[in-house]
């Protein structure tokens, strides 16, 4: 596994001098929200989302870790069975558990609740650092975003599970709007052709490899034309071009939404 020298976001926020800006922490949380959306779409519940289980990778990207008590609905007996037989198997971390957890077991909704608690915990630490360390302009920006953060946390930690957004919906929340606009305007080198391209016109994997629109179209067409056995192993998904033994990218495959935005309609249809 890759070594991530910044460690957990909990350590990153509490120990780093100076502490990371809230905008950087927000970026980590957007990556984790996307990771949860990917897990939930695959029938997997993490079951222990908290700052200690979120790592900070290269470029400040968030990495969700520690699947010790995760539940895979496709590979294990159901959580309801665990509840009916050995309730102690339902694990959680105090302070991050949803109100219904003891009754329902771990679900996508309890993961979302824990995500909200995580954002709240990191917010409190970062905003305290802003008050102590930062400029007046940064303090003003922090104060202006407080209501936005509170609204996001309130939505994720709603008492009733059905009132909470899905992880996919949370990733589109206004809480992340400024971050997404900032990322869209970024320019990086394409991992394939080495030409510079805007993030808004490209695909970026979970490990930060950017692939420009032209290269992405060629990559998708190549994946669509691969042997059926290979495509079946990938469940029809398209991985990062660097996801090879030689290059070692371990990011999850692109989502359908990412592909639809990054390639022409004909390539997406293929």
């Amino acid at each position: 596994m890759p070594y991530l020298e910044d460690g957990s976001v909990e350590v990153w926020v509490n120990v780093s001098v100076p502490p990371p800006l809230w905008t950087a922490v927000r970026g980590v949380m957007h990556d984790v929200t996307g990771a949860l959306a990917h897990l939930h779409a695959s029938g997997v519940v993490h079951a222990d989302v908290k700052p200690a289980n979120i790592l900070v990778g290269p470029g400040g990207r968030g990495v969700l870790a520690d699947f010790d008590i995760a539940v895979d609905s496709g590979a294990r007996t159901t959580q309801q069975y665990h509840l009916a037989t050995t309730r102690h198997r339902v694990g959680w971390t105090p302070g991050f558990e949803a109100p219904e957890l003891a009754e329902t077991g771990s679900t996508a909704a309890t993961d979302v609740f824990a995500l909200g608690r995580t954002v709240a915990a990191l917010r409190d630490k970062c905003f305290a650092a802003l008050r102590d360390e930062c400029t007046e302009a940064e303090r003003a920006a922090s104060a202006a975003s407080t209501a936005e953060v509170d609204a996001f946390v309130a939505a994720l930690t709603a008492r009733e599970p059905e009132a909470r957004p899905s992880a996919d919906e949370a990733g589109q929340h206004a809480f992340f709007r400024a971050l997404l606009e900032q990322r869209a305007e970024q320019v990086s080198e394409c991992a394939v052709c080495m030409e510079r391209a805007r993030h808004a016109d490209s695909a970026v994997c979970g490990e930060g490899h950017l692939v420009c629109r032209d290269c992405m179209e060629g990559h998708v067409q190549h994946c669509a034309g691969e042997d059926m056995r290979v495509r079946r192993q990938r469940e029809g998904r398209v991985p990062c071009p660097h996801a090879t033994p030689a290059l070692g990218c371990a990011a999850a495959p692109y989502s359908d939404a990412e592909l639809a935005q990054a390639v022409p309609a004909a390539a997406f249809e293929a």
Side-chain angles (χ1 to χ4, degrees), residues 67-122:
F67 288 74
D68 284 352
I69 61 172
V71 177
D72 182 348
S73 63
R76 298 188 181 185
T77 54
T78 66
Q79 189 72 356
Q80 286 72 22
Y81 173 79
H82 287 314
L83 285 168
T85 54
T86 53
R87 282 182 175 268
H88 67 277
R89 289 192 180 186
V90 182
W92 63 77
T93 297
F96 297 87
E97 74 276 21
E100 75 278 7
L101 183 62
E103 296 299 323
T104 66
S106 299
T107 65
T110 65
D111 271 355
V112 168
F113 185 95
L115 178 68
R117 289 287 198 200
T118 297
V119 172
L122 296 174

Side-chain angles (χ1 to χ4, degrees), residues 13-140:
V13 165
N14 284 283
V15 176
S16 298
V17 180
L21 294 175
W22 176 239
T23 50
V25 177
R26 191 182 302 218
V28 168
M29 294 312 301
H30 186 261
D31 292 333
V32 170
T33 302
L36 280 179
H38 173 71
L39 289 176
H40 296 168
S42 302
V44 177
V45 176
H46 184 275
D48 198 19
V49 179
K50 59 183 178 182
N53 288 343
I54 297 169
L55 308 182
V56 182
R61 303 305 297 266
V63 179
L64 184 59
D66 192 350
F67 288 74
D68 284 352
I69 61 172
V71 177
D72 182 348
S73 63
R76 298 188 181 185
T77 54
T78 66
Q79 189 72 356
Q80 286 72 22
Y81 173 79
H82 287 314
L83 285 168
T85 54
T86 53
R87 282 182 175 268
H88 67 277
R89 289 192 180 186
V90 182
W92 63 77
T93 297
F96 297 87
E97 74 276 21
E100 75 278 7
L101 183 62
E103 296 299 323
T104 66
S106 299
T107 65
T110 65
D111 271 355
V112 168
F113 185 95
L115 178 68
R117 289 287 198 200
T118 297
V119 172
L122 296 174
R123 170 201 59 193
D124 294 344
K125 176 62 179 178
C126 288
F127 282 17
L130 276 171
R131 290 192 294 271
D132 297 338
E133 308 260 346
C134 294
T135 65
E136 287 298 328
E138 288 169 328
R139 290 193 194 101

Side-chain angles (χ1 to χ4, degrees), residues 137-232:
E138 288 169 328
R139 290 193 194 101
S142 167
S145 68
T146 299
E148 196 174 69
V149 181
D150 289 344
F152 184 62
V153 171
L156 269 57
T157 58
R159 182 165 186 82
E160 299 301 326
E162 58 271 17
R164 299 169 204 153
S166 66
D168 191 43
E169 291 167 339
Q172 308 303 316
H173 194 276
F175 173 71
F176 292 122
R177 184 180 299 130
L179 170 73
L180 296 176
E181 290 172 352
Q182 180 185 35
R183 283 185 175 177
E185 292 304 314
Q186 285 182 298
V187 176
S188 300
E189 190 176 84
C190 173
V192 177
C193 69
M194 306 305 174
E195 297 290 335
R196 294 182 67 77
R198 292 174 67 245
H199 284 230
D201 304 323
S202 311
V204 182
C205 78
E207 290 199 356
H209 298 125
L210 177 141
V211 182
C212 71
R213 190 173 180 84
D214 289 343
C215 291
M216 194 65 197
E217 179 180 6
H219 177 57
V220 169
Q221 294 286 11
H222 169 75
C223 290
E226 286 185 307
D227 180 84
M228 181 61 75
R229 178 182 57 83
V230 174
R231 284 187 282 159
R232 185 177 291 113

